[in-house]
Amino acid sequence: MSFFYNKLIGGKEGLTGLILLALLILVVFPLTLDLFRLNLVGKYLTYAFPAVSLVLLWGYGGILSLGQGVFFGLGGYGMAMFLKLEASSPENTAIQSTPGIPDFMDWNQLTELPWFWEPFNSFAFTILAILIIPAAFAYIIGAAMFKRRVGGVYFAIITQVIAVILTILIVGQQGYTGGINGITDLRTLNGWDMTSDSAKYIFYFINCALLLCIVLLSRFILTSKFGSLLLAIRDKEDRVRFSGYDVSNFKIFIYCFAALISAIGGAMFTLQVGFMSPSFVGIVPSIEMVIFAAIGGRMSLIGAIYGTLLVNFGKTAFSETFPELWLFLMGGLFISVVMLFPNGLAGLWNDYKHHLTNRFAFITKRFKSQKTLTRPTNAESESLS
Amino acid sequence: MLGGYTYGELGSILAMQGFAGFSLFSVLLLMALGLAIIFGQMGVINMAHGEFMAAGAYTTYLIATLTEQYFPAFMPYYFVFAIVVAFFVAGALGYLAEFALIRHLYKRPLDTLLATWGLSLIMQQSYRSIFGAREVSPTLPEWLLGSYQPTDTIDIPLNGMFVLVLTAVVTFAVFYLMFKSRWGLRVRATTQNRVMSGAVGINTNKVDRYTFALGCGIAGIAGAAFTTIASTGPTTGTLYIVDTFMVVVFGGAASLFGTIASAFSIAQAQSILEFFISGSMAKVYTLVTLVLILMFKPEGLFASKVRR
Amino acid sequence: MSTSTDLTLAIEDLTVSFDGFKAVDSLNLYIDKNELHVVIGPNGAGKTTVLDLICGKTKASSGSIKFLNKELTELAEHEIVRAGVGRKFQTPSIYENLTVFENLEVSYPYGRTVIGSLFFKRNNEVVKKIHQIAKEIMLEDVLDTESALLSHGQKQWLEIGMLLIQDPQLLMLDEPVAGMSVKEREQTAELLKKISKGRSVLVIEHDMEFVEQIAQKVTVLHQGKILAAGQMDKVQKDPKVIEVYLGH
């Protein structure tokens, strides 16, 4: 029991943070927002998946991926392919020249379903594909790069190029992918109307539950020895390697895990928004995911979720009223988060909290300072000699 | 793939596509030269590099428009003048960016990436606010229009040849500056050992600032050259930034010769492929090949072996 | 050549060149069980490169490195460590954000795989071992201190402790007393004598006084080659050695 409390929940402080977040997304939002707005929040929360993945990967592991949109997209497209096939039954598509295939294929003169679409007729396969394909793809990239010690800036650039490649491929191969418009008109999931009010509520809550589970799972990883090693690799990679660890395996694992999380977010996006398009795959969405994590605090799982919500609320509010200002603001956010508060909202909150404790809890402070100030005696002798 | 062309036709196609490749090569190389200095020498990832190029392009457009309106007689000569101004405008913007942003982030390369991305968003939106979302292109002097026809089937545009010559001049200038001049020696010394360079009396802060400004200035020249082959919009820069990074990384970040070779091979591969398959697939194949090569040779094509 | 010996380390004909420059040139070096061997030499003699070669950080151009009759030149860094070779870097290389305890825990040789590290448990055995090592490296009182706050000398000891906890058969230390106070040097000399019981230790050092305190056998390296080797007092009188150290 204490294991669960200390490790997963993160003690008293972690529990408070988690309960507050759960209250906000599970109680406050559903009670105060109308369904349209709640659905919007649900969409934002799907971006929180890649943002959380970047906390693990970038904040703790020091590996900046500028291609998390790739995995978000793979998950989203996997789900969209299944839903599109369901929407393209021969009866629904009787007016096409080839009934039974998705409409965009028909427009592009395809006469039969491409082979890689076939298995997406099965829901079970689709779920497995969403969980496995992005992680397997990440494994291939990660193994190739980390085994050869490609890291830092080079990794960032190469992941970005992969995002570019996938975007061009999706846009260019419109007969197979739906092109720039993406895969649209998704209405039912196994015969169940996805656009109904009840479906929207259910998807919203599933999304929240998955997100909270992923936060817990990530906490488990970060509080284990793996977590300490991840930090150690970030700061002193050589020392870890010369302590007998195969560093690349650790990096590959966290990269695959990050890909998996992002893919789940992408699949939930498709379910809640009802379409998937290349504009959620490329460089711009990928780097925006980084800014979500950075604003929330690159070292804070929960911070990343607040960061995502905040930036997206801001984006919606601004692009409705002053679309011109938004890009300036977004640019300013990038610059200020790097220059002024590199630890994001979570960092500001911690400073503020310390400020409070310092001001009010002077009794405990006195107590604490006695403990922490037991500096080693030889250090003093050294400065004297 | 050869379907239906005679050898003569194929030869002409190769020559013309090859030349189209030279235009792409010129722009990529001019962009990459600036980036190779900034990234290769200083280790700064400048995601706003494309926007500095756009600054050069818009400067050219502005000068062309003003000349057309107020000094029509000057039209045949304005372009040379515009190149110089584009260099200084983009360079000055780079100088400011280094002063305001980059110099605080030298120890955090991944953070410069984010900050300069933010800068690029701001610059893009500024272009949109000032020049509008529509793409613009300057009225080119007449001697840049038209083409050169050595045979009936080959048709080589003059603007492409001009850009190629311009690129050659700039490349030699950069090479001279970096490897033969005293200033280049300081830059290279600073990259190799910042502390020691400071100790022997090099003002490393000044070197950094001017190096960054120089890189951006060259991007400005790239922008001026760019206006002769395509029109400029607020997001023009972003279209080239990833390709440019690939050129620099593929060439081996610190090697100018590598940068030239890699710009050449990437541009040629892409434009020759473009003729046979669709443009987007040509780009996919080129990029995939690059990524694969980089996975096997992460240090790029021309990097020397040193004790790390 | 020698196929099976009872030597801990046998380096034979080891050469490495960087762009034509031979940093280490046909080097032969043997270290016995329980031997404390010191390599000295002027700057650029190739001392650190030798350590880099043994622990796999640099790949040899030719030659062999046998550790307990196992060829190291073909192994990856982590495999060399797991075989029983520990290496301390010149500047203290510790995890500054972690406490002393956590530093030692991360170096504890269990949970070295991804899965193993995810389910690694801090049981009594681990805690006991960490306390034992901490006592040995004189850091028992500061186990819960963030290691960034340690003095320079203590950081050096901590890194030695992080190696000791893996119980290596060969311990390689790159200038362990650089930047230490006189008192810390003495303590470090004691520590080295203590830990060289039951294992071989290879030390690179500049400080001749310190070398005199600890050395049993000394090898003098110059321009990638061995200039002299043997007992400390004999080597010190060698005219070639004096020439290299004082001649220019």
Side-chain angles (χ1 to χ4, degrees), chain C residues 13-16 22-28 45 223-226:
Chain C
D13 227 10
L14 189 67
T15 303
V16 68
K22 284 188 176 171
V24 173
D25 193 357
S26 335
L27 181 81
N28 292 299
Q223 293 177 346
K225 289 183 171 160
I226 290 180

Side-chain angles (χ1 to χ4, degrees), chain A residues 58 62 64 66 141 144-145 148 150 152-154 156-158 160-161 164-165 168-169 172-173 283-284 287 290 298 324 327-328 330-332 334-335 338-339 342, chain B residues 39 45 47 100-101 104-105 108-111 113-115 117-119 121-122 125-126 128-129 242 245-246 249 253 280-281 283-284 287-288 291 294-296 298:
Chain A
W58 174 47
L64 179 56
L66 293 181
I141 301 172
M145 310 260 251
R148 281 169 216 284
V150 179
V153 172
Y154 289 81
I157 293 174
I158 289 185
Q160 190 170 47
V161 173
V164 173
I165 294 175
I168 300 177
L169 211 55
Q173 300 296 307
I283 302 184
V284 176
I287 206 163
V290 176
R298 60 182 83 167
E324 295 222 329
L327 270 186
F328 284 125
M330 188 81 177
F334 269 98
I335 292 172
V338 165
M339 310 262 305
Chain B
F39 178 56
I45 305 129
M47 293 302 283
L101 282 182
H104 305 287
L105 300 170
R108 298 185 280 159
L110 291 178
D111 284 5
L113 195 158
L114 296 180
W117 178 267
L119 180 65
L121 291 183
I122 292 176
Q125 189 53 45
S126 309
R128 202 169 284 128
S129 305
V242 171
F245 263 111
M246 284 312 267
V249 173
S280 66
M281 285 314 282
K283 190 151 190 188
V284 167
L287 290 179
V288 168
V291 169
L294 282 177
M295 280 178 179
F296 287 100

Side-chain angles (χ1 to χ4, degrees), chain B residues 77-113:
Chain B
Y77 318 106
Y78 89 88
F79 200 78
V80 180
F81 174 68
I83 292 172
V84 178
V85 179
F87 174 78
F88 281 105
V89 168
L93 287 174
Y95 185 93
L96 276 180
E98 204 279 347
F99 177 74
L101 282 182
I102 312 290
R103 70 185 168 120
H104 305 287
L105 300 170
Y106 282 120
K107 286 185 183 144
R108 298 185 280 159
L110 291 178
D111 284 5
T112 54
L113 195 158

